[in-house]
Amino acid sequence: MRLSKRGEYGLRAMIALAEPAEKGSAPQMMQIKEIALREQISAKFLEQILLALKNNGLLHSKMGVGGGYYLARPAKEITLGQIFRVLDGPVAPIKCVSQMAYEPCGCPDEETCGLRLAMGDVRNAIADILDNTSLADVTKRQNAVRKKMGR
Amino acid sequence: MRLSKRGEYGLRAMIALAEPAEKGSAPQMMQIKEIALREQISAKFLEQILLALKNNGLLHSKMGVGGGYYLARPAKEITLGQIFRVLDGPVAPIKCVSQMAYEPCGCPDEETCGLRLAMGDVRNAIADILDNTSLADVTKRQNAVRKKMGR
DNA sequence: TATAAAGTCTATAGTACCAGTATACTTTCA
DNA sequence: TGAAAGTATACTGGTACTATAGACTTTATA
């Protein structure tokens, strides 16, 4: 049940982009290098990841001097599930319970397959969290913990 | 978030072994070939998987003529989580939230890392299902569905 | 007690995927 | 016009996954 490095770095980058530099400021733009440095990620690798996120409509970018990446929509409208699926594919642990990439698993009777029933529950539990947690939720929670710890 | 073939086959085999041949009969013993045929798995591959489950105390075996594998404990005392961990390792999507294989993920402040907080929720949701679903639960559910569909 | 049926164990092969690197290109701004 | 930035694609080394092979041990029974 692992999150790939690709997925991890992508999620970290998106969270970084969701943290407003100043309170109530415009959606912030950051450069690849900036994010890479801050999150300790290989810039070249991150480049590919951000590109994939852009091509799937989650990021926008500006080329040239003073360019960079920024969120395509407000942080509260982008969920972890959307990001995850772009970078790591379907959420389901087994294809026969996948919503976005269904494939039969070959058991004689899918309707009554016990493994399928159990893995369906797992899929739903994961999707429930990922699809109902937005980037805004994440940064809000971060700040709440920070405040609580007095930082 | 994928279940490996190893994990899938192992879970299928354990579920097969948990289905009593006759109502209220003794823990049933099945041979590798028998399970492999029924679940359409390569017998040699399944062999390794069952061996791993045996070496981790989830299965017992009997060698020689008329031998086979059988559950080491009653089906209601073996959870999907136990099987999963033997075959696919930790449940956590990222090491910094793993209970059984913790490792720092390298973010500057783990306590307030948003990704870690979210992935912690995911881990708990998965573990909650896997550790609270026994083989007996699975076969019971299978039978319930079968009955409902009139088979 | 010989034989065949069954599990045990270790090694290895092929493949796919992951993580990262390299390089050439295009766009934009000053 | 040149430097800063993103775009695009190819390549590579490593590792993990999915088996397959073969030699070995244990056990029942004829």
Side-chain angles (χ1 to χ4, degrees), chain A residues 4-6 9 42 44-45 48 62-63:
Chain A
S4 71
K5 285 291 175 192
R6 200 174 139 86
Y9 295 164
S42 144
K44 272 300 193 183
F45 191 24
Q48 291 179 17
K62 184 165 180 302
M63 271 185 154

Side-chain angles (χ1 to χ4, degrees), chain B residues 28-99:
Chain B
Q28 86 168 322
M29 183 151 72
M30 287 177 83
Q31 295 178 359
I32 296 176
K33 276 192 292 189
E34 210 177 332
I35 303 175
L37 185 68
R38 174 167 143 175
E39 304 287 336
Q40 300 282 72
I41 304 171
S42 143
K44 270 303 198 181
F45 191 24
L46 183 58
E47 185 181 304
Q48 291 179 18
I49 296 167
L50 296 183
L51 202 52
L53 290 168
K54 185 202 147 153
N55 290 336
N56 283 275
L58 298 181
L59 283 180
H60 285 165
S61 64
K62 186 164 177 302
M63 270 186 155
V65 177
Y69 284 94
Y70 55 97
L71 299 183
R73 280 167 283 145
K76 71 169 186 294
E77 291 173 25
I78 301 179
T79 68
L80 300 188
Q82 290 163 4
I83 302 167
F84 182 94
R85 288 192 179 87
V86 166
L87 299 174
D88 273 14
V91 163
I94 193 170
K95 285 186 190 146
C96 61
V97 298
S98 179
Q99 300 285 304

Side-chain angles (χ1 to χ4, degrees), chain B residues 71-133:
Chain B
L71 299 183
R73 280 167 283 145
K76 71 169 186 294
E77 291 173 25
I78 301 179
T79 68
L80 300 188
Q82 290 163 4
I83 302 167
F84 182 94
R85 288 192 179 87
V86 166
L87 299 174
D88 273 14
V91 163
I94 193 170
K95 285 186 190 146
C96 61
V97 298
S98 179
Q99 300 285 304
M100 70 167 316
Y102 169 83
E103 231 174 270
C105 54
C107 52
D109 184 0
E110 249 192 31
E111 296 299 313
T112 63
C113 169
L115 183 61
R116 188 167 162 278
L117 294 167
M119 287 301 146
D121 289 348
V122 172
R123 190 219 87 92
N124 290 338
I126 300 175
D128 214 54
I129 295 175
L130 259 25
D131 290 336
N132 290 305
T133 305

Side-chain angles (χ1 to χ4, degrees), chain A residues 42-54:
Chain A
S42 144
K44 272 300 193 183
F45 191 24
L46 182 58
E47 190 179 301
Q48 291 179 17
I49 295 167
L50 296 183
L51 201 52
L53 290 168
K54 187 203 145 148

